[in-house]
RNA sequence: GCCAGCGUAGCUCAGUGGUAGAGCAGCGGUUUCGUAAACCGCAGGCCGGUGGUUCGAUCCCACUCGCUGGCUCCA
C-alpha cells in the first residue's frame, strides 16, 4: 500500500488505513483474481483500487463488508516487517501482483516495510492499529472507476470507497450528514423552488425558469453595480468567430476538441468558449495611450464549451454559461495595483454572500505554455505577492496554470465537499504579444500592455449552484425571487391582499398574493417551502387596524406593523444586501 | 471521454413476462379558515428511445440517449 504521509499520528486515520488493508484482504478472499494496487486514507475515509475488470456491484460491497467484519472479529495482529526491495519483489512476483512490483520500482530506499495481518501482506509504510479488532465501525460507500496512477492513458481500475470511525455514533453522524447534504444539493433546490431545469435535448445547458432568471439577473446586476465603482466598462462581443481567432490565441491547438465548431461558406467557425481573444481584438481596434490605461473590458457574453459528457454536473459544470468576465489591459507597472483592486472586489463580494471558507491556490506554469519564461516568472511572483499581501494563505499547484499564464483560484466547496473554483485572476504571458497589442508609453515609444483575466463570481451558473447550497435555498432578501408572499386569511381579505400587493410592487419589491382557497397554515407552509423571506398575513384584525401581520421565514411571527414600516424595513435590507 | 449504477404520472416513489399503482401537485366541487398540509371527486403514463428474444416485454437481452457517483479533463 502506498500511504500518504501526515496521518501517522491520527488514530482515526490509522484505523481507516488498516480498514483499507482489511478491505483488500476481503476482496482477494472473495475475488481471487482481483489485483491490489493502492489504497490510501483520504479525507473522511479511505479507498482501495483493484484491477478487477468484471467490476464490483453494490451487492458485492455488502458481501465484502460482511467478510471484513469476519476479519475484524478474528482480531489478528498487524505485523510490520522490513525487507530488502529484492525480497519484497520476490514476494509480490510470486503472488502475481504486478502493480506492487511497479510501485516497488519507484521506491528509492533499499529497504521497504511490509504489513501483514492473517494471510494478507501489503507493501506499506504504516503505521497500523495493533490488531484488526481495533478497527472501529466502518462502512463501504461506493464503487467507482479510477485510472491506474491517475492517468487516463492507463487501465481503469475498480475503486471501492469506505469510511471508518472510532464509534458507531460518529459513523452514524457522518452518514446522516451525507444524507442531509443531499437535501441541500442545488439540483434538488432548483427543482423544488422552480428555478431551473435540464432536458436531454440540451445536455449541460440549463433552462432558467422565471424565478431562476430573476436571481440570475440580480447577480449580474450586482456585479454591474460594482463595475461602476471599480472602473470597468462593459462590452458586448461576438458569440461566433472564425477559428482563426483561436489559432492566434493558442486555444485552438489546446482546446479545439472541446469547442463547438461549425462550417459555413468554406470557413470554419466556432462558438466562443471564452471572451479573451475577442477582447484582444477589441483593444487592438485603435491606438491606446498609457493615459487611458488600465482599460477594463467586462463581458457577460454566453460561452459554450464541449465539456466531456461524463463531467457535466448540475449548474456546477455546464456546456453553456456566462461569466462575470473581464480583461484588464494595463502597463506592467499597474499590475500590482490591479491585482490588489481585484482581490478587494472579490473580498467585498464574498463578504456579501457570506463565503467564509475560501481556499486560495496559485497555479503555476504548465509543461506546455506560451510566452517567454521571464514573463512567467514575473507573473507568478506578482500573483503570489498579491494574494499574500492581502493576507491569504496560498496553496501552490505546480504546473496547473493556463497555457498562457499563471492563475490564482479562489475555491469553495459544495455541499458534498467537492471543491469548485469561483473567482480567478490570471496574468497573461502570451496573448498581448500574439495579438500584437500595443500602447503608446510616456516616452512616446510603443509598448506591449500587460493583460489580466479575472472573474469574481466565475460562471454565474456555478456561482448560483454553490450559493443555493450554501444557503440551502434560503436566498437573502435582496436575491429572493419572491421576497414577500401576501396571505389573505379568506376570500373576503383578498381585496386587501391585492391592495397590499400593489403597494409592495410600487416600491419595487417582488411580491405575490396567495389567493387560493386554502387555510392559513397551508399557505404559510407553502411559502416556507418556497423559502420566501417574508409573509404578510391579512385577517380581519389587520383590516380593522390597517396594519399587516409579518412573519419571517426564518424568525417566525414578528407581530403587526403598518405596511409602510414593513416596506421601509425590507427596502433597507434589500439596499444593504442582507 | 472512461468505469459503474439508475431512467415508471409535473414531483417523490411502489410494482409485475399476461391491458400499470399510491401520495403530493393539477383540475372541479364543498368549506371561508389566525402562523408549516381542510374534505370529496376527476383527470393524468408510447414504464427514456431503437432493435431483438417471446404467443405476449414496462419487466429478459443488445445498442443508444440522458442522469447519478467516481476517474481523467476543465481555456
Amino acid at each position: 500500500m502506498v500511504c500518504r504521509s501526515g496521518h501517522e499520528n491520527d488514530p482515526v486515520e490509522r484505523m481507516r488505513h488498516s480498514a483499507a488493508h482489511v478491505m483488500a484482504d476481503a476482496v482477494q478472499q472473495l475475488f481471487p483474481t482481483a489485483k491490489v494496487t493502492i489504497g490510501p486514507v483520504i479525507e473522511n475515509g479511505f479507498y482501495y483500487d483493484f484491477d478487477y475488470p468484471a467490476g464490483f456491484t453494490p451487492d458485492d460491497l455488502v458481501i465484502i463488508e460482511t467478510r471484513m467484519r469476519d476479519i475484524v472479529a478474528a482480531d489478528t495482529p498487524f505485523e510490520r516487517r522490513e525487507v530488502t526491495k529484492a525480497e519484497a519483489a520476490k514476494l509480490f512476483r510470486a503472488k502475481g501482483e504486478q502493480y506492487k512490483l511497479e510501485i516497488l520500482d519507484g521506491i528509492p530506499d533499499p529497504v521497504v516495510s511490509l504489513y501483514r495481518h492473517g494471510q494478507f501482506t501489503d507493501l506499506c509504510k504504516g503505521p497500523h492499529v495493533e490488531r484488526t479488532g481495533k478497527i472501529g465501525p466502518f462502512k463501504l460507500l461506493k464503487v467507482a472507476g479510477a485510472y491506474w496512477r491517475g492517468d487516463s492513458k492507463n487501465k481503469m481500475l475498480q475503486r471501492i470507497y469506505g469510511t471508518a470511525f472510532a464509534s458507531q455514533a460518529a459513523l452514524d453522524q457522518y452518514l446522516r450528514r451525507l444524507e442531509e447534504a443531499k437535501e441541500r444539493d442545488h439540483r434538488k433546490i432548483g427543482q423544488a423552488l422552480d428555478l431551473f431545469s435540464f432536458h436531454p435535448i440540451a445536455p449541460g445547458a440549463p433552462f432558467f425558469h422565471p424565478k431562476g432568471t430573476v436571481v440570475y439577473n440580480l447577480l449580474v446586476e450586482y456585479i454591474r453595480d460594482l463595475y461602476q465603482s471599480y472602473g470597468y466598462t462593459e462590452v458586448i462581443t461576438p458569440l461566433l468567430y472564425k477559428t482563426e481567432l483561436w489559432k492566434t490565441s493558442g486555444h485552438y491547438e489546446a482546446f479545439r476538441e472541446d469547442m463547438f465548431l461549425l462550417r459555413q461558406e468554406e470557413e470554419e467557425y466556432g462558438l466562443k468558449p471564452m471572451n479573451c481573444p475577442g477582447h484582444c481584438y477589441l483593444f487592438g481596434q485603435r491606438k491606446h495611450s498609457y493615459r487611458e490605461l488600465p482599460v477594463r473590458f467586462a463581458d457577460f457574453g454566453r460561452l459554450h464549451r464541449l465539456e466531456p459528457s461524463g463531467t457535466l454536473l448540475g449548474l456546477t459544470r455546464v456546456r453553456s454559461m456566462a461569466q462575470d468576465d473581464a480583461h484588464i489591459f494595463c502597463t506592467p507597472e499597474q499590475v500590482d495595483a490591479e491585482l490588489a483592486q481585484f482581490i478587494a472586489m472579490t473580498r467585498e463580494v464574498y463578504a456579501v454572500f457570506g463565503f467564509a471558507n475560501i481556499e486560495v491556490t496559485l497555479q503555476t506554469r504548465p509543461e506546455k505554455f506560451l510566452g517567454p519564461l521571464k514573463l512567467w516568472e514575473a507573473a507568478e511572483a506578482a500573483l503570489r505577492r498579491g494574494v499574500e499581501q492581502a493576507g491569504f494563505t496560498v496553496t501552490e499547484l505546480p504546473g496547473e496554470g493556463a497555457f498562457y499564464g499563471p492563475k490564482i483560484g479562489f475555491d469553495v466547496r459544495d455541499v458534498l465537499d467537492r471543491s469548485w473554483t469561483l473567482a480567478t485572476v490570471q496574468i497573461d504571458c502570451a496573448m498581448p504579444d500574439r495579438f500584437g497589442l500595443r500602447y503608446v508609453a510616456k516616452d512616446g515609444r510603443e509598448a506591449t500592455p500587460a493583460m489580466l483575466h479575472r472573474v469574481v463570481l466565475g460562471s454565474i451558473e456555478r456561482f448560483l449552484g454553490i450559493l443555493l447550497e450554501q444557503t440551502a435555498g434560503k436566498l437573502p432578501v435582496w436575491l429572493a425571487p419572491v421576497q414577500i408572499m401576501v396571505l389573505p386569511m379568506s376570500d373576503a381579505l383578498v381585496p386587501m391582499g391585492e391592495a397590499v400587493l400593489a403597494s409592495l410592487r410600487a416600491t419595487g419589491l417582488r411580491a405575490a398574493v396567495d389567493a387560493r382557497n386554502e387555510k392559513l397554515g397551508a399557505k404559510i407552509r407553502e411559502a416556507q417551502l418556497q423559502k420566501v423571506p417574508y409573509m404578510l398575513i391579512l385577517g380581519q384584525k389587520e383590516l380593522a387596524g390597517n396594519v399587516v401581520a409579518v412573519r419571517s421565514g426564518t424568525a417566525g411571527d414578528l407581530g403587526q406593523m403598518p405596511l409602510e414600516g414593513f416596506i421601509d424595513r425590507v427596502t433597507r435590507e434589500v439596499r444593504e444586501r442582507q
Side-chain angles (χ1 to χ4, degrees), chain A residues 171-187:
Chain A
L171 175 62
D172 289 344
Q173 192 188 345
Y174 175 71
L175 296 175
R176 205 158 46 237
R177 195 152 60 79
L178 286 184
E179 286 305 312
E180 285 165 8
K182 282 186 195 157
E183 289 304 308
R184 293 189 154 226
D185 189 314
H186 76 273
R187 291 163 295 193

Side-chain angles (χ1 to χ4, degrees), chain A residues 60-69 138-140:
Chain A
D60 290 338
L61 286 199
V62 177
I63 299 166
I64 294 165
E65 228 176 63
T66 307
R67 181 60 62 95
M68 285 173 71
R69 291 191 206 295
F138 61 88
K139 182 161 180 60
L140 301 188

Side-chain angles (χ1 to χ4, degrees), chain A residues 222-513:
Chain A
Y222 170 46
I223 295 297
R224 277 204 177 105
D225 282 354
L226 289 176
Y227 283 163
Q228 284 291 329
S229 41
Y230 282 92
Y232 286 75
T233 49
E234 188 174 346
V235 297
I236 298 173
T237 55
L239 245 62
L240 201 53
Y241 297 84
K242 293 182 181 177
T243 51
E244 187 190 325
L245 180 73
W246 300 292
K247 286 172 185 162
T248 304
S249 70
H251 287 98
Y252 194 79
E253 162 113 20
F255 291 108
R256 68 166 293 184
E257 295 300 317
D258 307 312
M259 285 177 64
F260 288 97
L261 298 174
L262 54 149
R263 192 159 268 287
Q264 292 293 331
E265 295 182 332
E266 313 278 300
E267 194 83 48
E268 189 181 43
Y269 287 80
L271 280 174
K272 69 175 168 189
M274 84 299 290
N275 294 307
C276 35
H279 289 184
C280 285
Y281 264 85
L282 188 58
F283 183 84
Q285 294 264 324
R286 66 170 172 80
K287 223 166 187 179
H288 290 276
S289 156
Y290 74 95
R291 291 172 189 276
E292 54 186 310
L293 301 187
V295 165
R296 307 184 186 93
F297 288 147
D299 197 329
F300 294 99
R302 187 140 291 275
L303 310 176
H304 290 86
R305 300 177 176 184
L306 188 50
E307 302 285 3
S309 54
T311 65
L312 300 176
L313 187 75
L315 290 180
T316 42
R317 187 84 182 261
V318 291
R319 285 179 172 166
S320 170
M321 59 165 166
Q323 301 177 329
D324 61 328
D325 196 15
H327 294 93
I328 300 169
F329 300 91
C330 63
T331 70
E333 295 73 36
Q334 290 170 328
V335 167
D336 283 359
E338 287 304 308
L339 279 175
Q341 198 221 39
F342 164 76
I343 292 167
M345 183 174 170
T346 302
R347 274 229 162 96
E348 182 179 342
V349 171
Y350 286 19
V352 163
F353 291 108
F355 286 161
N357 300 318
I358 307 286
E359 295 160 31
V360 180
T361 60
L362 169 62
Q363 303 171 40
T364 60
R365 180 165 44 83
E367 267 180 48
K368 286 185 83 174
F369 68 98
L370 299 178
L373 208 55
K374 271 207 147 130
L375 259 185
W376 276 88
E377 285 165 356
E380 289 178 6
L383 289 179
R384 188 179 289 111
R385 205 164 52 234
V387 281
E388 284 179 356
Q389 273 175 12
F392 287 107
T393 308
V394 187
T395 307
E396 192 165 323
L397 301 174
E400 298 283 309
F403 67 84
Y404 52 74
K407 162 159 109 180
I408 295 284
F410 294 79
D411 296 1
V412 298
R413 285 167 185 269
D414 72 11
V415 78
L416 291 171
D417 220 32
R418 294 173 289 214
S419 185
W420 298 96
T421 298
L422 298 181
T424 70
V425 56
Q426 302 159 32
I427 299 180
D428 201 304
C429 301
M431 275 194 235
D433 184 54
R434 289 171 73 92
F435 283 95
L437 305 184
R438 291 286 182 272
Y439 70 98
V440 181
K442 207 169 185 175
D443 59 6
R445 291 174 207 268
E446 292 208 329
T448 304
M451 178 180 179
L452 268 57
H453 308 237
R454 37 63 69 219
V455 289
V456 177
L457 304 183
S459 117
I460 316 292
E461 282 75 5
R462 173 177 295 177
F463 189 87
L464 178 56
I466 299 288
L467 181 64
L468 287 173
E469 296 189 356
Q470 297 266 345
T471 59
K474 285 182 219 134
L475 291 170
V477 182
W478 72 277
L479 274 177
V482 177
Q483 296 167 311
I484 302 146
M485 186 60 82
V486 180
L487 308 181
M489 299 264 309
S490 70
D491 291 351
L493 278 306
V494 169
M496 181 186 180
E498 298 290 351
V500 167
L501 176 70
S503 303
L504 294 170
R505 287 190 170 164
T507 60
L509 292 168
R510 296 181 294 278
V513 177

Side-chain angles (χ1 to χ4, degrees), chain A residues 541-555:
Chain A
K541 284 184 270 179
E542 286 72 26
L543 183 62
N546 195 28
V547 289
V548 293
V550 180
R551 180 186 161 101
S552 152
T554 47

Side-chain angles (χ1 to χ4, degrees), chain A residues 487-491 514-524 526:
Chain A
L487 308 181
M489 299 264 309
S490 70
D491 291 351
D514 186 346
R516 292 177 306 163
N517 180 1
E518 288 286 354
K519 287 169 71 175
L520 179 64
K523 294 185 181 187
I524 287 175
E526 181 66 21

